[in-house]
């Protein structure tokens, strides 16, 4: 008995927002017997959580920033160098399809795929089509989206669109079938506060004082876990201590999935991966969109879950201690309110996102397939044996 194995190249910028869904797709494709290579930048190659089996290639991407013509020339040169390197990878790896997840490294990779006439797919994590994905929307074979409504996606490109959702980490997805943690009139109210990979200073400044403004009976039941920037953590610790609120603080929590599993309420930013995980697990949230996010995409990201009743959104200029206390009290005053919000968030989740995206990707590329895995036990060539990418001299 034999099963066909294909080769795929994934290209993503070096942030968690781009890489988490790329990692999830890579794991799904590898589970199906395929070989996967990743093209990213230096940050992406070193980011925690990258699967050990996933070979990463760092390509120059080039950035078209500012008005200085010199920077534009350098940017174009970087893009073209990255394109040449991607083409050499394609010659040795022979991908059936290329998948771009946005970010600068996806640009030269998708240009190379177009030049080599290799089928290509883009995945958009946010509710606003990103710059690289906007450029390629009319040039790729398929557009996978995470939301039913995506801003800056032209009507003429809708025929290419498939709604799959935003793939999340497997350890988070396993929590989907677990019940919402019991929350009673007398029990603890466990609150998880994070602000992205670096934390968010506004959360450190507002959340402790906002929690202190809750009614005494509710404040006495608080148990807080908060991510802070290293330079802020002592000030935040002192602030919680002055309010007599128990809080565990850290700059990074490795077991974030476990903490999310225990949380009754999340407070944080509205990044695509954050919302995908909250809705996959079913956790109510108070979200503060990052005001400087490109095209204000975090504000767009919250629309669906807020409309469903699974979260509340506060714009940063209105994010005050009193407003936060008001929203928490409205959500947590009665146990059933939080439970209902959790269920509404859960209904917004896309638990099959990785599988559905893999199905979409597998649908492209009818060329002769690369390897044959012999199910009798003889292993196929590994991706490290198949890959050969050398820098231009």
């Amino acid at each position: 008995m034999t099963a066909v194995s294909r080769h795929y190249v994934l290209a993503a910028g070096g942030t968690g927002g781009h890489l988490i869904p790329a990692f999830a797709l890579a794991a799904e494709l590898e589970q199906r017997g395929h070989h996967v290579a990743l093209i990213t930048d230096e940050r992406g190659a070193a980011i925690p959580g990258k699967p050990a089996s996933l070979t990463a290639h760092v390509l120059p991407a080039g950035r078209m920033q500012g008005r200085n013509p010199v920077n534009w020339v350098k940017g174009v040169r970087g893009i073209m160098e990255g394109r040449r390197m991607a083409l050499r990878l394609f010659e040795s790896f022979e991908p059936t399809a290329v998948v771009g997840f946005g970010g600068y490294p996806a640009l030269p990779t998708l240009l190379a795929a177009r030049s080599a006439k290799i089928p290509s797919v883009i995945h958009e994590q946010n509710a606003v089509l990103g710059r690289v994905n906007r450029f390629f929307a009319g040039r790729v074979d398929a557009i996978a989206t995470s939301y039913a409504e995506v801003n800056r996606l032209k009507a003429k490109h809708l025929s290419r669109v498939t709604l799959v959702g935003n793939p999340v980490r497997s350890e988070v997805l396993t929590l989907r079938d677990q019940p919402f943690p019991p929350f009673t009139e007398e029990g603890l109210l466990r609150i998880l506060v994070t602000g992205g990979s670096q934390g968010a200073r506004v959360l450190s400044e507002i959340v402790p004082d906002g929690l202190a403004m809750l009614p005494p009976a509710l404040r006495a039941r608080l148990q807080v876990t908060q991510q802070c920037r290293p330079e802020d953590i002592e000030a935040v610790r002192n602030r919680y201590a002055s309010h007599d609120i128990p809080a565990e603080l850290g700059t990074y929590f490795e077991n974030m999935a476990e903490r999310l599993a225990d949380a009754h309420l999340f407070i944080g930013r509205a990044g695509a991966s954050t919302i995908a995980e909250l809705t996959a697990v079913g956790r109510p949230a108070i979200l503060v969109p990052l005001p400087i996010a490109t095209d204000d995409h975090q504000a767009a990201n919250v629309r669906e879950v807020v409309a469903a009743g699974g979260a509340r959104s506060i714009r940063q200029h209105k994010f005050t201690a009193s407003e936060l206390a008001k929203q928490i009290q409205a959500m947590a005053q009665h146990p059933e309110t939080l439970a209902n919000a959790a269920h509404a968030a859960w209904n917004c989740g896309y638990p099959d996102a990785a599988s559905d995206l893999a199905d979409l990707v597998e649908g492209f590329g009818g060329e002769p397939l690369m390897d044959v895995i012999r199910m009798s036990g003889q292993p196929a060539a590994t991706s490290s044996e198949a890959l050969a990418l050398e820098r231009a001299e």
Side-chain angles (χ1 to χ4, degrees):
M1 178 180 178
T2 61
V4 175
S5 173
R6 293 186 172 112
H7 293 178
Y8 295 98
V9 169
L10 313 185
T15 66
H18 295 305
L19 285 167
I20 288 174
F23 292 163
L25 176 62
E28 178 67 24
L29 290 172
E30 289 178 344
Q31 186 177 357
R32 297 183 184 195
H34 303 305
H35 300 310
V36 183
L38 173 70
I39 288 177
T40 186
D41 55 26
E42 292 182 356
R43 293 179 304 164
I47 198 168
K50 184 181 78 66
S53 61
L54 184 60
T55 303
H57 300 276
V58 176
L59 265 64
R63 299 192 178 196
M64 314 287 284
Q65 293 182 326
R67 298 182 179 180
N68 189 332
V70 175
N71 292 337
W72 278 70
V73 171
K74 289 180 179 178
V76 171
R77 286 177 178 172
I79 291 169
M80 298 314 295
E81 182 184 355
R83 175 182 171 274
R84 287 191 295 270
M85 293 173 66
L87 283 169
R88 290 203 301 278
L89 171 61
F90 296 167
E91 289 176 0
S92 61
F93 193 57
E94 299 183 62
T96 300
V98 173
V99 187
F101 288 86
Y104 290 105
L107 177 56
T109 308
L110 289 167
L111 286 173
R114 184 171 173 81
S115 176
K117 295 181 172 54
I118 298 170
S120 56
V121 177
I122 55 175
H123 178 270
E124 179 55 60
Q125 300 89 53
N126 292 295
V128 180
L129 205 62
R131 292 175 181 174
V132 172
N133 284 347
R134 286 203 299 271
F135 178 79
F136 283 102
R139 299 171 170 86
V140 294
D141 296 278
I143 303 168
T145 64
S146 302
Y147 296 90
E149 181 182 351
V150 180
N151 295 355
R152 307 201 70 166
L153 177 60
K154 295 180 179 179
K156 65 182 180 180
H157 298 148
L158 292 178
S159 61
R160 294 185 174 95
V161 171
T162 299
L163 174 61
V164 300
N166 194 12
V168 301
R169 297 171 294 169
S170 59
E171 59 267 31
V172 171
L173 193 57
T174 59
L175 304 175
R176 183 168 175 83
D177 294 329
Q178 296 184 14
F180 185 64
F183 177 60
T184 64
E185 296 282 0
E186 293 79 26
L188 291 173
L189 172 59
R190 292 189 291 271
I191 296 179
L192 175 63
V193 186
T194 73
S197 60
Q198 297 296 318
R201 177 159 293 160
V202 68
L203 299 177
S204 295
E205 294 172 346
I206 299 297
V207 173
D209 293 345
L211 297 179
M213 295 178 70
L214 292 172
L218 185 57
R219 188 177 67 217
R221 298 158 53 199
L222 293 174
Q223 185 178 78
V224 181
T225 300
Q226 182 163 347
Q227 175 202 24
C228 308
R229 295 184 179 190
E231 62 269 26
D232 297 336
I233 194 166
E234 287 306 317
V236 177
R237 182 173 286 114
N238 292 336
R239 191 167 294 181
Y240 275 117
S242 69
H243 296 315
D244 196 26
I245 296 174
E248 179 185 0
L249 308 180
T251 58
Y252 177 75
F253 297 114
E254 291 187 358
N255 58 338
M256 189 60 74
E258 296 178 16
R259 296 175 185 277
L260 187 59
D262 291 336
H264 296 111
L265 178 65
F266 174 89
I267 301 173
R269 291 299 194 192
S273 291
T274 294
I275 293 180
E277 293 189 353
L278 290 170
T279 55
V281 178
R283 290 297 179 272
I286 295 174
L287 301 168
V288 186
L290 179 67
I292 60 171
T294 304
D295 298 317
D296 201 21
H297 66 255
Q298 289 201 4
N301 289 348
V302 306
R303 286 185 306 224
E304 183 177 307
V305 67
V306 168
R312 299 185 179 214
S313 178
I314 307 174
R315 298 305 297 251
Q316 185 161 312
H317 68 279
K318 295 183 178 180
F319 185 58
T320 63
S322 59
E323 180 63 22
L324 176 62
K326 174 184 173 182
Q327 297 296 341
I328 293 174
Q329 189 173 356
M331 297 182 76
Q333 190 168 17
H334 304 291
E336 63 272 15
T337 306
L338 269 183
N340 290 340
H343 186 66
W346 190 90
N347 281 336
C348 292
Y350 293 88
D352 299 322
S355 177
D356 289 345
L357 181 56
D359 288 344
L360 177 66
V361 170
E362 281 187 322
F364 291 97
E367 300 298 323
L369 301 172
M370 307 307 158
D371 297 327
V372 174
I373 296 179
R374 293 170 176 80
M375 304 305 288
S376 59
Q378 182 178 346
T382 64
S383 57
S384 60
E385 293 170 336
L387 295 174
L389 176 63
E390 297 177 353
R391 281 191 170 272
E393 294 296 331

